[in-house]
Amino acid sequence: MSSSRPPLRATALLAGLALLTPGLAAGAARAAEPAATVRVNQLGYLPDGPKRATVVSAATTPLPWQLRDSAGRTVASGTTTVRGADRASGESLHTADFSAYTGTGTGFTLLVDGRAGHPFDLSAALYDGLRADSLAFFHHQRSGIAIDAALVGPAYAHPAGHLGVAPNKGDTSVPCQAGVCDYRQDVRGGWYDAGDQGKYVVNGGIATWQLVNSFERDRRSGTEAALGDSTLKVPERGNGVPDVLDEARWELDFLLRMQVPEGRPQAGMAFHKVHDAQWTALPTRPELDAEQRELHRPSTAATLNLAATAAQAARVYAPYDAAFAARALAAAKRAWSAAQANPAVYAPAGDSTGGGAYDDTSLSDEFYWAAAELLATTGETAYRDAVVNSPVQAAPATPFWWGDTGTLGRITLATVPGVALPAAELAKVRASLTTVADAQLALQNGQGYAVPLAPDGYVWGSNSAVAGNGALMAVAYELTGQQRYRTGALESLDYLLGRNALDLSYVTGYGERAAENQHHRFWAHQYDASLPHPPAGSFAGGPNSGLQDPVAQAQLAGCAPAKCYLDDIGSYSTNEVAINWNAALAWLVSFAADRPTTVPTAPKVLVSPTVTVPEGGSVTVGVRLSAAPAQNVTVTATRTSGDQDLAAGGPLVFSPSTWSIPQNLTLSAAPDADTANGSAVFTLAGPGLEPATLTATEADGTTVPPTASCAVSYRVASDWGSGFTADVTLRNTGTTPVTGWTLVWTFPGSQRLTNAWNAAATQSGSTVTAKDLGWNSTVAPGGSVSFGFQATASGPNQAPARFQLNGALCT
């Protein structure tokens, strides 16, 4: 992510100076091309999304616009809204809004006052290709593996780089910088960070997290098949693992190799980075890099990045590779302990020869992020306490980048089902995310180009900040269901794909007028015609008013902030690529491309359909909603029939940010003189909600639980001695649907739950309670629902003897 200061990646000042020669002016020629006055998303728009364009005009009254299809027919028309002066671009602007048109097709054009913008498409599948290409970027950036022409095409193929094959001098046995260590480390693999060929743990961490989190988000929405096996061009396709996880695994294995081995000083810490001892010349194919590689001193920041991403991996990879998940969790815990023992080991700001320093001396955010991931994966008290007691928990959420990662932890806590965080603390986290999303919406709505970036926010990597801020709005949409957040996220993509002050798509291969000369050692066609342009889906850093390279300084002096950009390979401060930037783009594009199969309906009240209450006592039952309400809503439990000795407490209030957090409804049974087990039906309802019914049965004396029409299959899928994964299938053997399920069992041995998927599961003592996630709450007659979990165990790993569905025994 971008910061208030550049990451000082400056990948070769001498190479940048060399590009000021007369034969290398293609970028300048592109900058001189005439720009349209009607600025649109040059890829297009979603039929059910916002459709707005920005028009450059000094007119003080609205202008007429027409939307025309590929045959030239006018399909919609209207007039613009005058926006006036725009500080970031220095232009006078109007907005044309054609969102009401929901047709589809290709080759649409928007004419304003007789002037046309670039053609674009209207399609629900608009972002499918860009999703694949933005993720394919990472395969191109892989180190230590041959890039196969069968996957990428002959122009982009090359032998493996940095495997110790001459002239390479790494990365299978890399020495440390003088004074750092006296041994060598195998740190092969991973992704080249940016236009150079260094590899950095702090940038690899945030990039990996975004790819894996994108898969987690899709799994929650039921659209994970779009990122599944054989969806990307990666060598591992067809192995039964989602391709996006295969790609992230390539970097995760590298991150694990960067951990200081046991028995060495600072064991468990992570080396900060590995790169050439001197700046790599431009251009240089990775397999031809002859510079000596060096490991740089461990840092607390790198160690916490490793802890966070490895903990996330332990949670997400468990269903696909339990052994890797266990190894990742062990590494995460070692890293956390090492960081606690070494809380202030900083990367030197001056360590910028041959690679960027990536220095960071404020680490409360990294501690919070790592604790949040470990809590979400393990549920352990120590990590919960670290989250609750962190200064980050009490502070406002902020936009995230590699130097400020606390909000990544908030996103995990707010969205991963079943996180063992007190309800009040979880509500605080969710509210902080909607608040920071509201701030981005306010920035966006106040500008003619609808960019979630302040006029003084055009710094190194500004495009990544736009994508990341769009992702914050997408998270708020998931938490609340409010369309304004989805609109904000999609309009962030409009800016990146052409609706901007330069009338330029910053993504190679997407848009009639797109960047094609990003700063890179191998994709250097502007420097050497035998080398390729960057592949489709490569994302330029974007406007940077700091102008920290000589090419930008020579050509952009006095530029308006939103126009401080050159599509020139020498302008590394405006036109470099980076893995964390492309990860932000891929996350946001994947969100835009998702097409959930279910149609949103009114939120439902979710509660166990039956409960048994002891006579003279009380029980609590969890109540939540299936989706976010538009505003605060009160749920009241009313007895509609049955025994008046049974009573319900309440009411319960749910907000747009706390709708999925269960609240306890108390049911009580007054003592009576009879010996019958009376029952009563309660209706739980609220304005704008689909109600639910609950049958409460009074238990006179000691009774056994009733039986239910259900059957449970319990299967240990993998057991490695100290832990295991299991699959549980609940089948409805009755004649009526089960709506809302809670399955309870007791482990007969030492088994302890660590994480679960497709259910929210917790353990108290030896008793495990697994609840539906809303989207899988209904089980039809004869139907079934499955979920899985990972647990630790010592000694015999016996299966539970019985299961209770909503308080009743299954057969």
Side-chain angles (χ1 to χ4, degrees), residues 35-40 52-63 79-97 112 115 443-451 455 458 495 498-503 560 562-563:
T37 58
V38 179
R39 311 284 169 77
V40 298
R52 285 190 273 267
T54 298
V55 183
V56 182
S57 174
T60 58
T61 57
L63 301 172
T79 56
T80 63
T81 299
V82 179
R83 303 280 315 189
D86 182 72
R87 177 183 160 197
S89 65
E91 298 172 333
S92 184
L93 304 176
H94 290 224
T95 300
D97 188 343
V112 180
R115 295 166 293 178
L443 278 174
Q444 192 175 53
N445 293 335
Q447 300 185 66
Y449 283 107
V451 53
Y458 291 87
Y495 167 85
R499 187 189 169 194
N500 54 56
L502 293 172
D503 185 42
K563 294 183 177 179

Side-chain angles (χ1 to χ4, degrees), residues 131 211-228 241-242 244-245 311-321 373 376-377 415-417 478 587 590-591 594 596 755-759 773-776 786-790:
R131 170 166 49 191
L211 264 62
V212 177
N213 182 263
S214 181
F215 177 78
E216 282 194 285
R217 183 203 64 226
D218 276 9
R219 188 165 63 184
R220 288 191 299 272
S221 67
T223 58
E224 71 271 25
L227 297 174
V241 177
V244 69
L245 297 186
Q312 179 195 42
R315 179 173 70 246
V316 178
Y317 285 77
Y320 309 102
D321 189 334
E373 296 297 339
T377 298
T415 59
V416 172
E478 179 182 354
W587 194 106
S590 183
F591 166 79
D594 284 345
N755 62 81
W757 46 95
N758 295 333
L773 296 179
W775 57 267
N776 61 352
S786 297
F787 62 92
F789 66 88
Q790 183 175 353

